[in-house]
Amino acid sequence: MKIAHRGMLDDTRRFAEIVSRIAAGEPCGPRRRKAIVDYLRQLCVSIHHHHTIEDEVVWPILTASAGAAVDVHDLEDDHAQLDAVLATLDAHTAAFARAAADGTGAATDLAATLDQAHQLLSEHIADEEEVVFPIVDRYVSVADWDRVEKAARRGSNMRFEAPRVLRHADERELAKMKHEAGPLVRALLSLLARSFDKREAVIAGPSR
């Protein structure tokens, strides 16, 4: 969950910066535009999936384990607000995909929505980690948290998620994951990471 949070914050921040540069006139040919649009569409799905797992799996486990020691109503309200922003982000991503070659107006709208998503996620994640993580550490069993991890993996696009996990894991987390993965999994992750890095180079643009 910590790694997923880092990924959401980094992606919304850096794409707001990237699209702002495009709005200011930085070149964005069809290949780059497509790479940006594809990534942002997958990001919206990823964030929505993350929040759905929290609503349907994490919060019930927390309330069953900790009872009155936890209150997730404010976090649930945040998810409703974030879902509205994600819908706007998806619409502005589609408009950016359809825009004419310069597309500065669509890029301006998209950059503003990405910045709004980043600000909301920053506040929500800070509150969530302050409220939820101590409760998880104190009350939630390993078996119950395994249920969360399995639910998070179900329905997720691992071609998209796995390289992002590798990118945002710290040294300790990365070492643990590599230790637990077998050689075939490590080889697959390496292939996915290389493909991810190639797309990142396209997204960054010719001047980066």
Side-chain angles (χ1 to χ4, degrees):
M1 187 179 283
K2 290 179 181 178
I3 299 171
H5 286 170
R6 287 179 217 143
M8 293 177 204
L9 292 176
D10 182 67
D11 279 343
T12 48
R13 175 196 56 76
R14 69 191 182 91
F15 273 91
E17 294 172 356
I18 288 168
V19 179
S20 290
R21 296 199 306 266
I22 294 169
E26 184 174 278
C28 183
R31 183 168 178 243
R32 186 185 186 198
R33 184 185 298 264
K34 182 179 186 304
I36 290 170
V37 167
D38 288 349
Y39 194 108
L40 290 178
R41 284 173 171 160
Q42 290 178 88
L43 179 62
C44 285
V45 171
S46 175
I47 294 173
H48 180 71
H49 175 68
H50 180 88
H51 290 160
T52 299
I53 294 304
E54 289 179 338
D55 289 336
E56 296 181 356
V57 183
V58 179
W59 302 161
I61 285 175
L62 290 184
T63 54
S65 301
V70 63
D71 184 353
V72 297
H73 287 97
D74 287 344
L75 297 175
E76 290 173 329
D77 291 342
D78 286 351
H79 283 181
Q81 187 177 6
L82 284 163
D83 281 344
V85 173
L86 287 177
T88 302
L89 178 57
D90 191 57
H92 284 167
T93 299
F96 178 71
R98 296 191 303 267
D102 58 0
T104 54
T108 298
D109 291 342
L110 179 56
T113 306
L114 282 161
D115 186 64
Q116 182 185 13
H118 179 73
Q119 297 303 321
L120 285 172
L121 282 166
S122 296
E123 296 170 6
H124 171 71
I125 286 170
D127 290 342
E128 184 176 299
E129 293 190 355
E130 181 180 356
V131 171
V132 171
F133 286 6
I135 295 295
V136 171
D137 289 341
R138 182 172 180 182
Y139 293 101
V140 177
S141 69
V142 171
D144 278 342
W145 195 254
D146 281 345
R147 287 171 51 205
V148 173
E149 297 286 352
K150 289 176 183 176
R153 287 192 292 270
R154 285 196 300 270
S156 64
N157 179 0
M158 295 311 295
R159 293 179 64 87
F160 180 68
E161 301 295 353
R164 293 173 70 241
V165 168
L166 294 177
R167 177 179 183 141
H168 296 290
D170 62 28
E171 290 185 8
R172 180 186 59 81
E173 293 162 340
L174 195 57
K176 182 175 183 292
M177 285 187 287
K178 288 183 176 180
H179 175 73
E180 292 174 350
L184 289 177
V185 173
R186 288 196 295 270
L188 176 59
L189 289 174
S190 179
L191 287 173
L192 291 175
R194 283 201 290 272
S195 176
F196 184 87
D197 289 342
K198 288 180 182 178
R199 179 168 63 173
E200 286 290 292
V202 174
I203 287 170
S207 64
R208 295 301 185 277

